[in-house]
Amino acid sequence: MSSAEFTKSYIRLIIMAWIIPALFGLSFLTYIEILTVDQLTGIMTTPTEPAFITLWMIFAYWYFKRYIRPITTYLEHPDEVNGAAALVCMQKFPLHFWFLFLIYLLTAPTSVILSAEYFTEYVPQPVDWFRIHLVALIVSIIVGLPIFFIMLDLFGNAASNLNLSRPHITIKTKVFMIGALVPLLIDTMIVQYYWTRTGFFTFETFVVWLVLEILAIAGSLIFVRSFTQSLSPLHNLVTESPDFNLLSSANFKPCSTDEIGVLTLNFRRALDELHQHKNNLEELVDERTKELQRLNKELEAFSYSVSHDLRTPLRAIDGFSQALMEDYADKLDGTGHDYLSRIRGASQTMAELIDDMLQLSKVTRSELLKERVDLSSVASEVIENHKLVEQDRNIKINIDHGLICIADKNLIMIVMDNLIGNAWKYTGKKAIAEISIGKQQVDGKDVFFVKDNGAGFDMQFENKLFGVFQRLHSTEEFSGTGVGLATAQRILHRHGGTIWADAVVDEGATFYFTV
Amino acid sequence: MQKTILLVEDNPNDEMLTIRALKKNNILNEVIVARDGVQALDYLFAEGEHEGRNMSDQPQVILLDLKLPKIDGLEVLKRIKTDERTKLLPVVVLTTSNEDQDLISSYQLGANSYIRKPVDFDQFIKAVGQLGLYWLVLNEAPPSA
């Protein structure tokens, strides 16, 4: 519903609420012969009565147009804040409407009588005061109540997209209006008939009227109570808690045998079932979590034992081969020495493999502690370490300044160590090696890179690059275990980043990554 | 009198290699070997099979493996460092594990040093040589009780 449509319907209804009772009331007064046609014409041609009705209409138009501004604002800009304001406005509307309407009801008959008294020859009797006010009451209920309900429905349409966490105009309110006003209307009509017939206001007629009114009010209260009782489970449901999970089925007992009673019972069953499912689910999650924790512990124990137990025999293999070479050198020929050094070489390779695998599993297990990391200084540190080990290399290093990222420092150091280590290793056969470390902007994201002019690789095998134990060069050409890039990728994935490469055989490789 | 070294090591290969490495570095101090946690504690506190040993004659340094039968290395370390009679003895954890948890626990319990045994025997000899030089020659041991 658009704001303009809403305003149009709403203003039309307000004008109807103010003009129809006036016209209908005056015609009815004539019909039941409280006023004659001449008297009515006289009253309507006085300066006061038309002015009175017109001024009231202008006032009501101005007042309510201003009043519904939060709703029209919400319809133009439907956001949460405007929605909340619109709901408050809708909630307070019955109060404002009936307050102004009742003042109108009290002043309108008075104005008719006063206009008649001052500007026409008709002189109202004291009983006419009561009769005319009663007519105003009947008319206003007959006309005002339906118009009021049409307005509530109009609000309901405008509220179709609102976030209703609790009721703003309750069914209880609506029932109360009908339950209180309709019996009042019927009684008043009976009294009106009685008075029209007897023609005067006496103590007897007053008592009859009073008894009827008391009965009507008592009856309407009973009527409202019955409805309220039926509705109470529904009312509890929407007012108790907006959170479905916090609802307790114990609070929803059917209080009637009608549709709402059945609905309450069904709702209660559904709620019980839901809670049961939820508990089952929680149990299941608990169970699975425990299972996962157990598996994780097992994995940790496994890594620990790999770290400790697999290395111990290797040390013995290496150590005793060495002892053999030293202590029994004279009993071994060249081939024997060669075999022993092969045994030592293999055991050391296996030790490296074990270390790399352990690092890979550690990377997956350890918790991420993100902080601001200066990749430029990390890169310099890694380069310095390599320079210490291999001092005679001719390498041109270029590290851009201010390469900053947010990451776990220990883990990102492993990434840089692997990437720079690779660049260092694969440029080993170049006369002049070049390694550059820098940053590019791609789609507003920082993409870091490590570029070398080394051996490169065939892009055809790109998909094997990050697999565990996958190598694109033979161990003879370049040493390595094939775990470094897998580790780097796993670290970057854990940070929500990614890594990819670009390379040309014998011209170099560039590894790009985001964190 | 030459000070002794207490080597707590359950693996006979590692025991032999460690002793060989010490010899290669010309560290000729007497090496007492304990093959599990109980033996190590018995020796240090002169209990069980070592009952009657002179308690004032304690080793200059204890080389302690972490993975030991019966009583594990961390527990041995804890008992050494919580007992008034032995808490000043330097303990070097010499192990295969480089799990962070082991490192942290060892230092928390008062280990004086933590060395991971390299697989490469040449490096192992170097490491043992350096720790022997440091703990037996350079480092001044606390005065014995």
Side-chain angles (χ1 to χ4, degrees):
Chain A
M1 177 176 257
S2 75
S3 170
E5 274 174 341
F6 174 79
T7 314
K8 203 173 135 194
S9 314
Y10 175 80
I11 292 300
R12 196 187 292 153
L13 286 169
I14 286 288
I15 292 171
M16 276 163 69
W18 254 257
I19 203 163
I20 294 178
L23 297 178
F24 191 70
L26 287 168
S27 322
F28 195 64
L29 285 175
T30 321
Y31 177 70
I32 57 175
E33 291 174 353
I34 291 176
L35 295 176
T36 63
V37 178
D38 287 347
Q39 280 165 345
L40 178 69
T41 321
I43 287 167
M44 289 315 285
T45 48
T46 62
T48 49
E49 187 58 21
F52 176 83
I53 294 174
T54 314
L55 280 176
W56 250 115
M57 265 183 49
I58 292 169
F59 174 73
Y61 172 82
W62 169 80
Y63 182 85
F64 283 105
K65 189 156 187 194
R66 217 172 120 261
Y67 182 79
I68 55 150
R69 211 170 279 160
I71 301 175
T72 52
T73 312
Y74 163 73
L75 289 170
E76 278 157 25
H77 308 284
D79 62 32
E80 210 162 293
V81 179
N82 289 342
L87 273 178
V88 172
C89 172
M90 287 179 192
Q91 189 182 17
K92 288 186 178 160
F93 175 77
L95 200 71
H96 285 249
F97 178 85
W98 286 109
F99 181 70
L100 278 190
F101 198 67
L102 282 174
I103 296 177
Y104 181 52
L105 273 186
L106 289 174
T107 53
T110 314
S111 82
V112 170
I113 294 164
L114 292 180
S115 302
E117 206 161 347
Y118 286 104
F119 297 104
T120 67
E121 281 152 23
Y122 163 64
V123 181
Q125 301 302 303
V127 70
D128 290 342
W129 281 78
F130 290 97
R131 287 173 164 180
I132 293 172
H133 274 98
L134 283 171
V135 167
L137 191 66
I138 294 165
V139 168
S140 66
I141 292 169
I142 289 175
V143 180
L145 203 59
I147 291 179
F148 174 72
F149 273 88
I150 294 172
M151 280 184 168
L152 290 188
D153 291 347
L154 190 68
F155 287 158
N157 291 339
S160 60
N161 290 321
L162 280 173
N163 178 22
L164 286 167
S165 56
R166 59 189 177 84
H168 283 72
I169 296 172
T170 58
I171 296 184
K172 222 161 135 181
T173 313
K174 292 186 182 179
V175 168
F176 184 79
M177 298 234 166
I178 306 166
L181 294 179
V182 171
L184 211 63
L185 171 75
I186 295 166
D187 281 359
T188 312
M189 282 169 86
I190 295 169
V191 172
Q192 181 62 44
Y193 172 72
Y194 187 54
W195 279 351
T196 312
R197 214 183 51 172
T198 53
F200 54 87
F201 183 68
T202 62
F203 179 72
E204 190 196 327
T205 56
F206 176 73
V207 170
V208 170
W209 176 76
L210 202 64
V211 168
L212 282 173
E213 286 306 316
I214 288 168
L215 282 176
I217 289 167
S220 64
L221 285 180
I222 290 166
F223 174 61
V224 169
R225 205 192 61 174
S226 165
F227 255 90
T228 310
Q229 185 174 321
S230 277
L231 286 170
S232 70
L234 206 64
H235 189 76
N236 290 346
L237 172 68
V238 291
T239 49
E240 193 190 354
S241 167
D243 185 351
F244 207 66
N245 290 322
L246 296 178
L247 293 177
S248 148
S249 69
N251 294 349
F252 303 113
K253 293 185 183 115
C255 301
S256 58
T257 54
D258 55 19
E259 292 91 325
I260 291 170
V262 177
L263 185 72
T264 308
L265 211 61
N266 286 345
F267 179 80
R268 205 176 133 162
R269 285 194 193 119
L271 196 66
D272 280 340
E273 217 161 288
L274 192 81
H275 280 304
Q276 204 185 333
H277 280 303
K278 211 180 128 221
N279 290 342
N280 283 349
L281 205 66
E282 267 165 19
E283 262 170 43
L284 200 70
V285 169
D286 267 1
E287 219 169 86
R288 291 281 153 84
T289 311
K290 272 186 197 142
E291 173 81 11
L292 272 176
Q293 279 169 343
R294 196 182 59 76
L295 280 174
N296 216 24
K297 274 220 176 97
E298 225 163 71
L299 196 70
E300 258 169 54
F302 175 74
S303 303
Y304 183 88
S305 108
V306 166
S307 149
H308 199 275
D309 297 348
L310 282 188
R311 289 169 57 92
T312 307
L314 278 177
R315 199 166 39 250
I317 294 170
D318 191 72
F320 288 110
S321 307
Q322 172 81 347
L324 214 53
M325 280 162 97
E326 285 171 8
D327 297 359
Y328 297 89
D330 51 334
K331 292 183 182 157
L332 285 169
D333 59 3
T335 319
H337 276 282
D338 179 45
Y339 288 170
L340 282 176
S341 44
R342 278 173 194 273
I343 292 174
R344 292 196 63 202
S347 57
Q348 279 159 32
T349 308
M350 182 145 174
E352 269 170 44
L353 271 170
I354 293 169
D355 284 352
D356 285 354
M357 275 176 65
L358 278 177
Q359 195 179 54
L360 187 69
S361 82
K362 244 189 207 174
V363 157
T364 321
R365 282 185 287 139
S366 64
E367 213 174 301
L368 285 186
L369 292 169
K370 289 196 178 183
E371 58 181 318
R372 194 168 174 276
V373 182
D374 181 357
L375 285 181
S376 307
S377 70
V378 170
S380 314
E381 213 175 294
V382 175
I383 295 278
E384 285 312 310
N385 286 340
H386 282 284
K387 277 186 178 165
L388 275 179
V389 181
E390 279 185 86
Q391 288 163 345
D392 51 345
R393 287 279 304 273
N394 184 2
I395 293 198
K396 270 171 70 183
I397 307 282
N398 177 34
I399 303 174
D400 285 356
H401 288 289
L403 303 177
I404 305 292
C405 68
I406 304 293
D408 183 303
K409 192 167 183 190
N410 287 328
L411 292 181
I412 212 74
M413 272 177 87
I414 296 175
V415 173
M416 291 307 277
D417 193 43
N418 276 316
L419 294 181
I420 295 172
N422 280 348
W424 188 275
K425 182 162 67 185
Y426 291 107
T427 50
K429 291 176 182 171
K430 293 276 166 179
I432 301 168
E434 277 176 47
I435 299 175
S436 34
I437 294 133
K439 185 176 84 173
Q440 289 175 354
Q441 284 273 328
V442 177
D443 297 334
K445 273 190 101 178
D446 284 345
V447 175
F448 302 98
F449 64 83
V450 176
K451 185 182 166 79
D452 67 59
N453 66 339
F457 58 87
D458 191 340
M459 283 298 278
Q460 200 186 322
F461 304 115
E462 193 196 358
N463 57 338
K464 288 192 171 173
L465 211 50
F466 298 102
V468 184
F469 298 128
Q470 296 278 0
R471 300 212 59 215
L472 301 182
H473 299 273
S474 70
T475 328
E476 224 157 279
E477 260 186 300
F478 294 101
S479 66
T481 55
V483 183
L485 284 178
T487 309
Q489 188 187 45
R490 208 171 280 192
I491 291 171
L492 292 168
H493 281 179
R494 280 202 63 196
H495 281 82
T498 138
I499 182 167
W500 67 98
D502 195 10
V504 177
V505 176
D506 284 335
E507 281 180 26
T510 309
F511 283 86
Y512 300 94
F513 65 93
T514 60
V515 182
Chain B
M1 200 183 87
Q2 272 261 322
K3 282 284 186 181
T4 57
I5 298 169
L6 176 63
L7 173 64
V8 190
E9 173 63 71
D10 67 315
N11 185 312
N13 290 335
D14 273 4
E15 173 197 325
M16 254 179 99
L17 289 170
T18 310
I19 291 170
R20 186 182 166 86
L22 286 168
K23 277 193 190 136
K24 287 268 163 196
N25 284 291
N26 294 317
I27 297 164
L28 302 169
N29 301 46
E30 189 194 344
V31 179
I32 292 135
V33 179
R35 294 198 171 78
D36 59 48
V38 177
Q39 274 187 23
L41 292 170
D42 279 355
Y43 179 81
L44 287 170
F45 297 114
E47 287 164 358
E49 56 176 310
H50 294 282
E51 203 167 340
R53 192 182 72 86
N54 181 9
M55 278 274 294
S56 65
D57 183 23
Q58 292 289 37
Q60 175 104 350
V61 62
I62 300 166
L63 304 180
L64 179 66
D65 191 7
L66 287 186
K67 222 180 171 195
L68 293 171
K70 297 183 192 169
I71 298 178
D72 78 9
L74 289 175
E75 181 62 30
V76 172
L77 178 62
K78 191 172 153 191
R79 298 223 195 142
I80 292 172
K81 290 297 179 183
T82 49
D83 194 296
E84 282 299 318
R85 294 168 292 171
T86 51
K87 71 173 184 185
L88 295 177
L89 292 177
V91 178
V92 175
V93 174
L94 188 63
T95 180
T96 322
S97 156
N98 71 338
E99 286 284 309
D100 293 348
Q101 200 45 54
D102 281 344
L103 265 161
I104 293 165
S105 311
S106 299
Y107 279 120
Q108 268 172 352
L109 292 172
N112 300 75
S113 188
Y114 188 106
I115 289 162
R116 192 190 183 203
K117 295 183 213 168
V119 166
D120 184 339
F121 191 61
D122 294 327
Q123 283 180 32
F124 187 57
I125 289 176
K126 264 188 217 162
V128 171
Q130 280 170 8
L131 84 89
L133 180 72
Y134 181 77
W135 288 108
L136 296 167
V137 182
L138 290 176
N139 187 52
E140 288 286 340
S144 42

